[in-house]
């Protein structure tokens, strides 16, 4: 009999965080067009890893460019001016492949933006570690392995690179203590047939490395709009991994995604995508897309920051037309906005006797 992981009391990365921004939600409900809460920024499409199942490889093949120093600066200033609250440096490619990423991080923090940073962890040095830990609220290293063999399967590189990443994670945790940084350091782990054997070992390793958390998520693959997914059953492994939580370390898993993977409609019981109102992405070409899963799909491009301002794009007729044309058949099953949409769809629906709960 499989263990009942539903009984584990584990803090999740929850979609109800949208309700912490009721001012923006209420603006939207009233017919206004508030600025997004979160923006993902791709500093570059270049990457030094060769992940066989890279979710944006279809995009990077056609465009391996990077944002220039001046353009990155201009974008950050516009985001701050338009009262975006959270900015995630991600990819695209590996953020640290762009030589201007660190100064852009410092500028964004100075302008009052709350920062996240997603990286493969291989290019860290003393300077970049210090910069990220001093300026970011959280940092996540995409590890996806606990051994050189599985790292080769997940990141396409041999054991020396795995050891380098592990050494850098160790340096991050040590530097956090020395700097008395409050930056939350996490490790990401995508579960699949290729990585399942390392899940329990990864939990032990992450705790030993003294990071704050390890997060499991099911792997989904983009292939130029043709999605691949095979939901590896990891229930037993997660139950074992959760036992490592404690003493300042958490094993987390995207519980809602694992549960909705067994739903024929993947939890998509809404008729419109409303999540795109509150989160968007800026690619390394400076083009903006409706969400992080549609990078490179011109159908879902809402504007170009080389030609228009952020405000002009956000308020544009083109963006409204793109939103109207969203087709869920183009969307990966367990998309980022899926659970946000469940909440927002229900809020948007008319209700009788609303003052009687």
């Amino acid at each position: 009999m499989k263990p009942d992981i539903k009984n584990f009391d584990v803090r999740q990365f929850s979609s109800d965080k949208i309700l912490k921004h009721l001012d923006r939600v209420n603006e939207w409900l009233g017919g206004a067009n508030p600025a997004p809460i979160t923006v993902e920024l791709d500093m570059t499409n270049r990457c030094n890893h060769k992940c066989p199942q890279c979710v944006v490889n279809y995009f990077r093949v056609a465009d391996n460019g990077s944002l220039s120093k001046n353009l990155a600066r201009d974008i950050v200033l516009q985001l701050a001016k338009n009262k975006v609250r959270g900015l995630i440096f991600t990819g695209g490619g590996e953020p640290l492949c762009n030589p201007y990423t660190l100064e852009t991080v410092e500028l964004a923090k100075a302008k009052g933006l709350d920062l996240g940073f997603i990286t493969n962890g291989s290019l860290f040095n003393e300077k970049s570690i210090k910069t990220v830990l001093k300026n970011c609220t959280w940092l996540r290293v995409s590890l996806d392995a606990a051994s050189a063999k599985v790292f080769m399967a997940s990141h396409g590189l041999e054991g020396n690179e795995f050891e380098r990443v592990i050494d850098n994670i160790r340096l991050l945790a040590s530097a956090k203590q020395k700097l008395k940084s409050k930056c939350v350091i996490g490790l990401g782990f995508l579960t699949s047939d290729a990585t399942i054997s390392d899940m329990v070992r990864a939990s032990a390793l992450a705790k030993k490395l003294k990071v704050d958390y390890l997060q499991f998520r099911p792997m989904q693959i983009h292939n130029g709009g043709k999605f691949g997914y095979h939901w590896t059953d990891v229930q037993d492994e997660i139950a074992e991994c959760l036992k490592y939580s404690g003493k300042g370390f958490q094993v987390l898993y995207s519980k809602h995604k694992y549960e909705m993977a067994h739903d024929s409609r993947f939890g998509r019981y809404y008729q419109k995508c409303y999540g795109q109102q509150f989160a968007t992405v800026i690619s390394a070409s400076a083009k903006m897309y409706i969400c992080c899963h549609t990078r490179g799909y011109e159908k879902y491009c809402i504007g170009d920051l080389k030609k228009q301002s952020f405000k002009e794009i956000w308020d544009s007729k083109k963006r409204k037309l793109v939103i109207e044309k969203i087709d869920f058949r183009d969307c990966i099953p367990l998309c980022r906005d899926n659970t946000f949409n469940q909440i927002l769809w229900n809020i948007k629906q008319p209700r009788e006797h609303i003052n009687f709960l």
Side-chain angles (χ1 to χ4, degrees):
M1 181 181 295
K2 294 181 179 179
D4 183 8
I5 61 177
K6 293 181 180 180
N7 290 330
F8 282 89
D9 181 16
V10 61
R11 178 174 59 89
Q12 297 299 322
F13 292 96
S14 177
S15 57
D16 62 10
K17 287 189 293 185
I18 190 72
L19 300 179
K20 294 290 186 180
H21 301 275
L22 288 177
D23 55 338
R24 298 277 169 101
V25 173
N26 283 328
E27 281 185 63
W28 168 71
L29 287 171
N33 182 39
I37 296 164
T38 304
V39 172
E40 293 191 16
L41 178 62
D42 298 347
M43 289 296 295
T44 182
N45 284 335
R46 298 171 190 165
C47 189
N48 60 325
H49 280 198
K50 301 177 182 178
C51 304
Q53 309 295 356
C54 176
V55 297
V56 289
N57 195 51
Y58 67 90
F59 182 32
R60 294 193 292 106
V61 167
D63 179 4
N64 67 348
S66 299
L67 292 177
S68 68
K69 175 180 178 178
N70 289 337
L71 184 53
R73 176 181 175 82
D74 182 61
I75 288 171
V76 166
L77 292 177
Q78 289 190 61
L79 296 181
K81 181 180 179 181
N82 284 278
K83 302 188 184 305
V84 168
R85 292 173 177 170
L87 178 61
I88 304 173
F89 288 86
T90 181
E94 163 55 42
L96 292 175
C97 282
N98 187 324
Y100 306 116
T101 293
L102 296 181
E103 57 190 279
T104 306
V105 166
E106 292 175 325
L107 174 66
K109 180 64 174 180
K111 292 299 177 181
L113 290 162
D114 203 4
L115 307 181
F117 200 95
I118 299 175
T119 173
N120 62 37
S122 64
L123 297 179
F124 274 123
N125 55 33
E126 185 177 345
K127 179 182 178 182
S128 56
I129 286 174
K130 186 175 181 180
T131 299
V132 172
L133 289 178
K134 280 193 168 185
N135 292 281
C136 293
T137 300
W138 58 268
L139 154 72
R140 189 173 76 229
V141 177
S142 301
L143 185 60
D144 311 306
S147 65
K149 179 181 178 181
V150 173
F151 190 79
M152 180 66 187
S154 59
H155 283 250
L157 296 173
E158 295 179 349
N160 289 342
E161 185 72 1
F162 173 70
E163 294 301 329
R164 179 186 304 177
V165 173
I166 295 301
D167 286 343
N168 284 343
I169 294 169
R170 194 175 287 113
L171 289 173
L172 275 165
S174 176
K176 175 180 176 176
Q177 287 187 325
K178 290 178 181 177
L179 295 169
K180 296 182 179 179
S181 169
K182 294 183 179 180
C183 178
V184 176
I185 301 174
L187 305 182
F189 194 114
L190 296 175
T191 61
S192 67
D193 288 343
T195 64
I196 186 174
S197 62
D198 262 10
M199 289 177 63
V200 177
R201 278 184 288 183
S203 301
L205 176 61
K207 188 164 189 172
K208 184 179 179 180
L209 290 171
K210 298 181 179 180
V211 298
D212 296 295
Y213 71 85
L214 171 68
Q215 183 199 19
F216 294 109
R217 291 175 293 135
M219 178 181 284
Q220 299 183 95
I221 304 165
H222 298 217
N223 287 309
K226 298 177 182 179
F227 307 125
Y229 45 89
H230 171 66
W231 310 122
T232 304
D233 185 357
V234 296
Q235 188 175 29
D236 291 348
E237 286 72 20
I238 286 177
E240 288 300 313
C241 292
L242 289 171
K243 295 177 183 178
Y244 286 89
S245 288
K247 296 183 179 180
F249 172 70
Q250 293 256 357
V251 173
L252 307 174
Y253 69 105
S254 296
K255 185 176 181 180
H256 59 288
K257 289 191 176 183
Y258 287 106
E259 290 178 347
M260 285 188 287
H262 300 288
D263 179 351
S264 62
R265 291 175 62 178
F266 305 106
R268 197 167 276 151
Y269 294 94
Y270 45 85
Q271 296 176 22
K272 291 186 178 181
C273 178
Y274 291 138
Q276 46 73 29
Q277 178 67 52
F278 302 99
T280 192
V281 63
I282 300 171
S283 73
S285 66
K287 287 185 176 181
M288 289 179 61
Y289 293 92
I290 204 75
C291 77
C292 61
H293 302 294
T294 58
R295 288 177 175 93
Y297 291 88
E298 289 307 305
K299 175 181 178 180
Y300 295 113
C301 176
I302 59 175
D304 188 339
L305 285 164
K306 291 180 180 177
K307 300 176 181 178
Q308 295 174 281
S309 71
F310 180 87
K311 178 68 171 173
E312 288 170 339
I313 292 172
W314 199 248
D315 292 340
S316 68
K317 182 178 179 180
K318 179 177 182 179
R319 176 169 167 261
K320 292 178 181 178
L321 291 173
V322 170
I323 291 170
E324 290 173 4
K325 293 180 180 179
I326 292 175
D327 186 340
F328 290 154
R329 291 174 296 182
D330 297 332
C331 302
I332 201 162
L334 301 175
C335 73
R336 176 179 177 177
D337 286 338
N338 192 25
T339 47
F340 290 120
N341 282 329
Q342 292 169 0
I343 292 174
L344 295 170
W345 175 259
N346 286 331
I347 291 174
K348 190 81 168 177
Q349 300 315 299
R351 293 285 187 269
E352 293 183 348
H353 312 306
I354 60 172
N355 292 328
F356 298 93
L357 300 180

